[in-house]
Amino acid sequence: MKVTVVGAGAVGASCAEYIAMKDFCSEVVLVDIKEGFAEGKAMDLMQTASLNGFDTKITGTTGDYSKTAGSHVAVITSGIPRKPGMTREELIGINVGIVKDVTANLVKHSPEVIIIVVSNPMDTMAYLVHKTSGLPKHKIIGMGGALDSARFQYRLAEALEAPISDVNGMVIAAHSDTGMLPLLSKATRNGVPVTEFLDEEQQKYVIEETKVGGATLTKLLGTSAWYAPGAAVSVMVQAIACDQKKMIPCSLMLEGEYGQNDICLGVPAIIGKNGVEKIVNITLTADEQLKFAEAANAVREVNGDLKF
Ligand SMILES: NC(=O)C1=CN([C@@H]2O[C@H](COP(=O)(O)OP(=O)(O)OC[C@H]3O[C@@H](n4cnc5c(N)ncnc54)[C@H](O)[C@@H]3O)[C@@H](O)[C@H]2O)C=CC1
Ligand SMILES: O=C([O-])CC(=O)C(=O)O
């Protein structure tokens, strides 16, 4: 299985590293526009192979997409990250051109590829890939929910004073500071609803900290996060490569599901060898339905800035 990762920056390199460490792919190709950068990252990562015990072959290229030919999965991380104080939506001006160009190059050389979109504003970038790539909708998956759910579980474990392995929870809707919807009503500690353990103030804390998880890290780091994003992508790539049929919240093109049409938003889906095997319909509370619709309205407004 060959995987291409476009953008050899913080997220791209981290994702390539996690994929290699898990050793389920034969080849990872890193692509970047900065001369020699992807080649350098690939060489550095390959020099960890004997230390970390993996056989995945990692190569790098400066914009030569012929090297990506025949990729089964491609991850788009190319584009600028936000700085402290910015929203993800503010990145659209620069990232739209980059994502459009990269998508065309990927599809030209790998017409059967499954694309995982990471660049922000991710829900809008995933929508852009749907509108410009010509790929069927089950082959375009936005990464946001996997990361946001991991952050939700981190905050739940903190509030519960529990090990993270005891905790389960999912975040759907938009990958934005205001549009994320952590599903507290469905979160559990070993099958017991977390609402049995957390008071209202603790519940509010978990939800709010989850939603601004990316912004909190951006403030601390001066740029946005990469370890958890890279790990989240690697989980999705593995679900495809190993046909795991895992249920992962992803930003997908909706055609009536959750009352929405012609928009990419985070919903639970079964991820396997074909990409999206199925969108899973779960019952939301009235309040969650309202918040989902509000998130959709906000993403739709950002999508309105796109020109195809
Ligand atoms: N969806 C999500 O959950 C997350 C999304 N992100 C987004 O991912 C993107 C990348 O973030 P970082 O890796 O931290 O940024 P970075 O600046 O470290 O890396 C981006 C890389 O893309 C490259 N690049 C730019 N234009 C290119 C092109 N046309 N072709 C190939 N490569 C190109 C740059 O040279 C750079 O190396 C940002 O837009 C960020 O907001 C980051 C974390 C999580
Ligand atoms: O916060 C950002 O801009 C990057 C991102 O999407 C995340 O880490 O969730």
Side-chain angles (χ1 to χ4, degrees), residues 120 130 215 293:
N120 275 316
H130 277 279

Side-chain angles (χ1 to χ4, degrees), residues 9-11 32-34 77-81 95 118 120 143 147 175:
V11 176
D32 206 282
I33 200 169
K34 239 186 287 174
T77 77
S78 46
I80 54 164
N95 287 353
V118 179
N120 275 316
M143 191 292 283
L147 170 63
H175 183 61

Side-chain angles (χ1 to χ4, degrees), residues 6-13 31-34 37 41 63 65 76-82 88 91 95 97-99 101-102 117-123 142-145 147-148 151 175 223-226 228-230 232-233:
V6 186
V11 176
V31 184
D32 206 282
I33 200 169
K34 239 186 287 174
F37 193 60
K41 287 281 182 105
Y65 280 84
I76 303 182
T77 77
S78 46
I80 54 164
R82 63 174 158 168
R88 296 178 181 86
L91 305 173
N95 287 353
I98 295 174
V99 170
D101 183 50
V102 164
V117 184
V118 179
S119 310
N120 275 316
M122 182 278 294
D123 298 294
M143 191 292 283
L147 170 63
D148 302 332
R151 287 180 176 151
H175 183 61
T223 183
S224 54
W226 56 88
V233 174

Side-chain angles (χ1 to χ4, degrees), residues 13-25:
S14 164
C15 137
E17 181 178 15
Y18 285 120
I19 291 171
M21 292 276 285
K22 294 177 186 176
D23 215 9
F24 59 84
C25 283

Side-chain angles (χ1 to χ4, degrees), residues 13 17 47 51 60 62 81 89 118 136 174 195 210 212 235 240 268 288 290 296:
E17 181 178 15
Q47 290 169 2
L51 298 164
T62 306
E89 290 80 353
V118 179
T195 46
T210 299
V212 297
V235 164
I240 298 168
E288 287 164 352
L290 189 71

